[in-house]
Amino acid sequence: MRRATLAVPAALALFAVTACGAPSENASRPTEDAAGSQELSTLVVGATAVPAGDILAFVQEELAADAGLDLDVREFSDYIAPNAALAEGQLDVNLYQHEPFLLEYNEGNGTDLVAVEKIYLPPLGLYSNRVDAVDELEKGAEVALPNDPTNEFRALLLLQEGGLITLADDVDEATFSLSDIEDNPLDLRFREVEAAQLPRSLDDVDAAIVNNNYAQEAGLDFEEDSILLEEVEGNAYVNVLAARSDNADDPRVATLVELLTSPETVRFIEDEYQGSVIPAVA
């Protein structure tokens, strides 16, 4: 299959909690008990299963103990619950979203969550069960888009970079709508779908723009099944480790950043995902 790979400029995101509970109050570096053994500092981390959960599992199994850290990872299945849990103090940090989504969440919910560090890019892709290349899409083809504003705007940017649509010059990410599509030479029809349901929509539409984590969970192969894909360079949608403003400087958070951006973790991401997830640190 021939796939177009494109860079997208600026402007992604998850879930329903599967476990809850208050994070550890021990914000200090690890100490030693009377017997001289190291006491690990616990950090409660919210994540989506793929790829964030997998990456955190690697860090926990291979690196965390030597750094004096114990990760308590709570998995979510949508884009809203992890931020709500973080803001309410049920989590210390979360990993699953890019900064534009985080800022939009803050604005809509009156929260003060902050991006601590860029960790990885899960490229947004246009997938199809019906065609093998973008230029095979026929006039009037139906394309499914994620229905949350940040990801929908990002999806439209990807379609524009692929030459399928043209957005108005003055389009505003904060107020855009589908009416801001100025040129649509194929008369593409658009169906707005909840992000988690986009892989299922592929049997009903000609193509769908699917968030990377949901594509992987559904077994979609970014090489074989995508016909348009983002690149890292110049991309504002790199996923970040997020914290609250009141704990962003916690030493445990700094330790997790070091582990997530370590050569070992970078190598794990590259080997495990073979380009379908790209580490932010080269």
Side-chain angles (χ1 to χ4, degrees):
M1 177 182 294
R2 181 169 65 82
R3 183 190 74 243
T5 303
L6 299 162
V8 176
L12 211 194
L14 304 147
F15 328 106
V17 111
T18 60
C20 61
S24 167
E25 296 180 358
N26 178 15
S28 62
R29 289 291 189 181
T31 59
E32 291 188 354
D33 61 21
S37 62
Q38 190 180 64
E39 181 182 347
L40 301 181
S41 294
T42 299
L43 192 70
V44 183
V45 187
T48 47
V50 179
D54 292 340
I55 295 169
L56 289 164
F58 167 80
V59 169
Q60 171 68 0
E61 293 168 7
E62 303 294 334
L63 306 174
D66 287 343
L69 199 62
D70 179 41
L71 301 181
D72 179 359
V73 179
R74 315 282 177 88
E75 288 191 358
F76 295 77
S77 60
D78 72 88
Y79 288 144
I80 302 301
N83 277 340
L86 178 58
E88 292 167 3
Q90 297 174 16
L91 304 173
D92 294 311
V93 292
N94 67 36
L95 178 61
Y96 79 95
Q97 65 191 319
H98 51 68
E99 192 167 11
F101 184 87
L102 175 67
L103 296 176
E104 181 184 88
Y105 182 87
N106 281 338
E107 184 175 351
N109 294 275
T111 50
D112 192 18
L113 307 181
V114 297
V116 178
E117 186 65 64
K118 295 179 179 180
I119 306 300
Y120 63 86
L121 174 71
L124 194 67
L126 179 65
Y127 294 82
S128 178
N129 288 343
R130 300 181 182 179
V131 301
D132 293 330
V134 170
D135 57 13
E136 293 179 12
L137 288 170
E138 297 182 353
K139 199 171 185 68
E142 186 174 23
V143 178
L145 307 173
N147 67 358
D148 61 280
T150 300
N151 284 307
E152 185 170 29
F153 186 73
R154 181 185 180 188
L156 293 177
L157 291 175
L158 179 60
L159 294 177
Q160 177 170 253
E161 290 296 316
L164 293 169
I165 63 170
T166 302
L167 296 170
D169 289 338
D170 59 350
V171 63
D172 185 344
E173 179 185 354
T175 60
F176 84 96
S177 70
L178 292 178
S179 64
D180 288 309
I181 298 174
E182 197 169 68
D183 189 26
N184 183 3
L186 287 179
D187 292 326
L188 297 175
R189 296 174 294 121
F190 299 103
R191 182 187 298 190
E192 296 171 307
V193 177
E194 183 183 352
Q197 302 304 316
L198 283 164
R200 296 182 184 179
S201 75
L202 284 169
D203 290 332
D204 303 318
V205 298
D206 296 288
I209 291 185
V210 184
N211 295 66
N212 182 281
N213 63 300
Y214 293 131
Q216 292 198 51
E217 289 174 7
L220 294 173
D221 186 288
F222 86 107
E223 287 284 359
E224 296 295 327
D225 301 318
S226 68
I227 58 176
L228 195 61
L229 196 68
E230 291 177 322
E231 288 182 341
V232 169
E233 186 176 355
N235 198 307
Y237 298 104
V238 176
N239 281 10
V240 298
L241 184 71
R244 295 181 303 280
S245 60
D246 65 3
N247 77 331
D249 295 328
D250 188 320
R252 297 171 301 159
V253 176
T255 299
L256 180 56
V257 168
E258 292 173 5
L259 299 180
L260 286 169
T261 57
S262 67
E264 294 87 350
T265 303
V266 168
R267 191 178 310 114
F268 168 79
I269 294 172
E270 292 173 340
D271 292 346
E272 180 74 10
Y273 299 106
Q274 298 293 309
S276 64
V277 177
I278 306 167
V281 179

